[in-house]
Amino acid sequence: MNPSLLTHLLKPLDGARLECDGMSSVISWGLHEQGVTHRVKSGMIHRGDVSICHVWIELFTGHVIDLRARMWLGDRLDVPHGVFRPEDYPHVTYIEHPDKERMGVMDGWLVMALSDGLAGKVRWSDLAREAKSEPRVAQ
């Protein structure tokens, strides 16, 4: 699995006027449609003295998908964006509230409406193929 490629494949969603809960729901829909094992998580994201309620996705590999951390913690290189391993961002902490229930998978028409049609520009099958592939060792 190549996190940079997955981030690139999700790029069309960057322009969606969605906060973390809506964005995570849209991405979860696409992953679910393609049979990619994942969990939508809700809780808090921390950086320094800033703590914000947040929603993100965790893949079965332990990678996180988060396109909205920078919305809350600043558009900085030390704040994650896209698909990444949390340990690569030691100054940012995700804390799940496991007692929080997340809504089920949305219908496709609602996903398209919420994302202003941008979800239709994501190559979900390519994303799924890459997400399900074996991790690659950097050379």
Side-chain angles (χ1 to χ4, degrees):
M1 180 174 70
N2 180 338
S4 296
L5 178 56
L6 292 174
T7 298
H8 174 74
L9 291 168
L10 289 168
K11 187 125 181 87
L13 293 176
D14 274 341
R17 294 174 292 182
L18 296 169
E19 294 187 4
C20 57
D21 55 344
M23 181 64 75
S24 293
S25 294
V26 167
I27 295 169
S28 179
W29 168 83
L31 295 173
H32 177 79
E33 289 291 306
Q34 295 295 322
V36 177
T37 303
H38 67 285
R39 288 188 52 217
V40 177
K41 295 191 167 193
S42 62
M44 303 289 289
I45 187 172
H46 302 278
R47 183 182 164 277
D49 60 351
V50 178
S51 296
I52 302 290
C53 290
H54 197 56
V55 181
W56 65 95
I57 292 175
E58 185 177 286
L59 296 173
F60 66 96
T61 60
H63 286 82
V64 167
I65 300 176
D66 190 347
L67 300 185
R68 290 300 182 250
R70 290 181 178 175
M71 176 181 274
W72 307 117
L73 300 179
D75 191 11
R76 307 165 41 114
L77 293 178
D78 64 342
V79 175
H81 180 81
V83 182
F84 56 91
R85 296 197 66 77
E87 56 268 22
D88 292 339
Y89 293 89
H91 301 297
V92 177
T93 307
Y94 288 80
I95 300 175
E96 179 185 11
H97 292 199
D99 59 328
K100 301 290 184 195
E101 288 293 321
R102 294 294 306 142
M103 70 174 120
V105 177
M106 293 183 180
D107 287 330
W109 67 268
L110 183 55
V111 166
M112 293 305 158
L114 286 174
S115 69
D116 295 325
L118 294 174
K121 295 179 185 283
V122 174
R123 297 183 343 239
W124 294 109
S125 60
D126 291 347
L127 187 129
R129 187 171 28 263
E130 186 62 29
K132 293 176 183 178
S133 69
E134 292 295 319
R136 296 190 183 121
V137 177
Q139 297 191 10

